[in-house]
Amino acid sequence: MGPAVVTPYALTVDAGTGDLRAADHLLHELAAGLALPEGTFGCTHLVRGDRPRVAVSLSLPSRPLLDTTRERLAAAGYGAVSPGLPDAVGRAVLYPGASALTGTMTVAELLANSAIDRVTVLGTPEPPGPQTRMVTRDHVRPQWQRDALVLAATPAMGGTLVPFEAPDPTPCCADH
């Protein structure tokens, strides 16, 4: 698939979402409800300040599609819709090839079949080898870093890797 391509056709939706799971759900809802094309990037962005929340952004492949999407979002009452991205470090939920990243695959397959540009392993200076197996847990959330879509991974059992972000994290202080 090759390196991620960022378009200048982006908008931000601030629906007042309180957490990443709800923002992921919102992005999937928008993709299905608006029939967004495969080339769309949908990201989450942490908004700090007096009212912390998670905004979402959509980067679309063309200006006409951006304009239509903006109108449909406003008409559907999805919250504040504004042009551009809130920051340059979004966490990608929707991106080309995301739906194919299921089960176990090699790092080479992950890179070849998605818009992810590279994989890093926490605590190591070198990238993983192309034949290193990645157990996706069907939850692959890379982040934008200097215009590249980068997946952070951690070592797992049997010499495999898993994405750093767990699909069902235990909330802090869950046991008390």
Side-chain angles (χ1 to χ4, degrees):
M1 189 156 286
V5 177
V6 182
T7 72
Y9 311 115
L11 55 85
T12 296
V13 179
D14 189 348
T17 307
D19 60 54
L20 290 174
R21 186 179 298 212
D24 285 9
H25 180 73
L26 175 60
L27 281 167
H28 287 293
E29 180 182 294
L30 293 175
L34 300 172
L36 298 174
E38 174 68 20
T40 300
F41 286 84
C43 297
T44 61
H45 303 266
L46 300 178
V47 179
R48 292 171 174 76
D50 59 339
R51 196 174 55 92
R53 60 202 180 282
V54 183
V56 300
S57 67
L58 296 171
S59 295
L60 299 143
S62 72
R63 167 64 76 191
L65 189 55
L66 176 78
D67 294 339
T68 301
T69 301
R70 182 184 306 122
E71 290 167 8
R72 292 176 68 194
L73 286 168
Y78 274 106
V81 179
S82 57
L85 300 171
D87 58 45
V89 293
R91 171 185 158 273
V93 176
L94 306 174
Y95 52 92
S99 62
L101 302 181
T102 61
T104 301
M105 60 184 51
T106 65
V107 168
E109 291 169 330
L110 181 138
L111 295 173
N113 294 311
S114 73
I116 297 173
D117 295 301
R118 70 178 183 274
V119 175
T120 61
V121 180
L122 296 179
T124 63
E126 298 298 319
Q131 296 308 310
T132 304
R133 292 178 312 136
M134 172 77 68
V135 180
T136 68
R137 300 180 297 194
D138 301 343
H139 188 84
V140 181
R141 301 293 189 263
Q143 287 194 293
W144 289 105
Q145 295 178 8
R146 291 183 220 109
D147 294 329
L149 200 53
V150 180
L151 177 65
T154 59
M157 295 185 57
T160 63
L161 298 173
V162 294
F164 175 72
E165 184 178 324
D168 296 310
T170 303
C172 177
C173 308
D175 61 344
H176 53 264

